Amino acid sequence: MTSTPAEMSAIPVIEGYDGADYYALMTRALHQILLEEGLLAPEETDKVIAALEAPRPEWGARLVARAWVDTAFKARLLADGASAAAELGFTIKEAQLVVVENTDDLHNLIVCTLCSCYPRSLLGQPPWWYISKSYRARAVREPRAVLEEFGMALPESVHVRVHDSNADMRYLVLPRRPAGTEDAREEDLARLVTRDSMIGTAQVSAS
Amino acid sequence: MSAPRFAPGDRVRILDIGKPGHVRIPWYVRHKVGVVERHCGAYPNPEELSCARPGLPAIDLYRVRLGQRDLWPDYAGAPDDTLEIEVYDHWLAPAQDDAP
């Protein structure tokens, strides 16, 4: 018996870890063998893990704050994210960083429906919900409902644009600068910028 | 490397080429018509890279803008909400005249 579309949409999205234990075990076994055979030194693995864990949302926040105070930098960031990031000393290791700007009329939201593509070389590892099947399925299907659950009910007059990060590009949202921060210094502005605001599931507030 | 087949503003149909394996084109955009937003450059084919092959020559990659109402007929948001997604050249066909 086949399910009707209504029945299908009633089936909850199941989070699964099929095979995760198997691959974790295989990775540990392979690592052990490589160490025993002298093909890999323990410090080499530590170095790679440290490099993976170094990037963090504060790096992206510095790009956002600079773009808010420097319109020429903002133009360069929107034209070529990786080159602009390099100006501040950040190396984007993915193919390109596409920066999309939120305005009074446009709100951008980033998702990777196929897996968990994320600008990891800039922001670090994605939050758990970004990887969840529920977010991945719903962000493209009902973005306004998802945003509302994140605390952002947007009026119909604000255009919602979803970016499915499905291939080689990586995405960063340039959030709106909050009102009342006209006199704030760049360093203080950077402290206001949250990880979620650069994914598009939050706005930046002035305090 | 030859010039990209599509330019920003071109109407394109996203194909379903029926390829199994590590394809990057999700089902929900297949058969849909959108507009090229930008050419992203050319990249090794991920369908080949996933099988440890070089994936060359590199394939043009585009960002395609689609209307949410075209993706989901019962979309509940504003009528002009959009979605953008990356599509490799071999998953695209020109769609100048056909209806969305």
Side-chain angles (χ1 to χ4, degrees):
Chain A
M1 198 179 114
T2 54
S3 302
T4 66
E7 285 165 351
M8 289 290 287
S9 65
I11 297 169
V13 180
I14 308 290
E15 298 299 330
Y17 297 92
D18 297 343
D21 292 346
Y22 170 81
Y23 287 107
L25 195 62
M26 290 297 278
T27 304
R28 283 171 59 188
L30 179 63
H31 191 221
Q32 188 68 38
I33 292 167
L34 290 171
L35 292 174
E36 282 171 11
E37 296 293 324
L39 296 168
L40 190 70
E43 312 84 75
E44 292 179 88
T45 324
D46 292 345
K47 251 172 88 175
V48 173
I49 291 171
L52 281 174
E53 290 180 343
R56 52 188 197 274
E58 288 78 5
W59 293 9
R62 286 190 49 202
L63 298 183
V64 170
R66 175 64 59 88
W68 282 346
V69 299
D70 181 343
T71 49
F73 178 80
K74 178 175 140 182
R76 296 197 294 278
L77 185 68
L78 293 172
D80 181 349
S83 298
E87 290 181 37
L88 299 196
F90 302 122
T91 305
I92 303 298
K93 292 175 182 150
E94 296 90 356
Q96 275 189 39
L97 182 69
V98 176
V99 181
V100 289
E101 183 185 13
N102 284 350
T103 67
D104 293 346
D105 311 316
L106 172 66
H107 185 83
N108 292 284
L109 179 68
I110 313 301
V111 60
C112 172
T113 55
L114 294 177
C115 45
S116 56
C117 294
Y118 188 75
R120 290 165 197 257
S121 64
L122 182 69
L123 299 184
Q125 304 308 306
W128 66 271
W129 52 260
Y130 185 87
I131 301 168
S132 72
K133 288 181 180 170
S134 171
Y135 177 76
R136 288 157 50 195
R138 295 183 57 221
V140 294
R141 180 73 179 84
E142 45 177 7
R144 287 175 183 267
V146 171
L147 289 170
E148 210 168 329
E149 288 169 29
F150 274 95
M152 289 176 62
L154 294 174
E156 286 237 336
S157 57
V158 176
H159 181 104
V160 171
R161 181 172 295 155
V162 177
H163 302 266
D164 190 345
S165 179
N166 63 316
D168 291 277
M169 306 294 103
R170 296 294 178 269
Y171 295 88
L172 182 80
V173 172
L174 175 56
R176 283 189 301 155
R177 181 174 178 167
T181 61
E182 291 72 17
D183 300 324
R185 294 179 308 157
E186 185 180 335
E187 309 87 87
D188 296 328
L189 288 170
R191 274 192 281 276
L192 302 176
V193 180
T194 60
R195 175 196 65 199
D196 291 6
S197 73
M198 294 180 281
I199 302 174
T201 52
Q203 322 235 33
V204 178
S205 57
S207 56
Chain B
M1 202 163 69
S2 56
R5 187 157 62 117
F6 300 108
D10 285 356
R11 277 167 60 79
V12 286
R13 180 177 292 280
I14 300 171
L15 304 174
D16 182 358
I17 64 175
K19 199 167 172 176
H22 185 74
V23 298
R24 303 304 303 174
I25 313 303
W27 287 91
Y28 76 92
V29 296
R30 297 183 189 181
H31 306 291
K32 305 294 183 184
V33 171
V35 170
V36 171
E37 188 264 343
R38 74 176 77 174
H39 176 244
C40 302
Y43 300 92
N45 186 349
E47 297 149 19
E48 302 293 312
L49 291 177
S50 68
C51 305
R53 292 193 285 259
L56 298 173
I59 298 180
D60 285 312
L61 180 68
Y62 302 91
R63 301 191 69 232
V64 177
R65 181 175 297 171
L66 300 133
Q68 286 280 27
R69 284 278 165 92
D70 295 332
L71 290 174
W72 322 102
D74 62 345
Y75 180 72
D80 62 346
D81 282 355
T82 51
L83 177 138
E84 297 183 358
I85 189 162
E86 298 157 42
V87 186
Y88 295 93
D89 184 87
H90 60 297
W91 285 81
L92 290 173
Q96 283 88 352
D97 297 320
D98 60 10

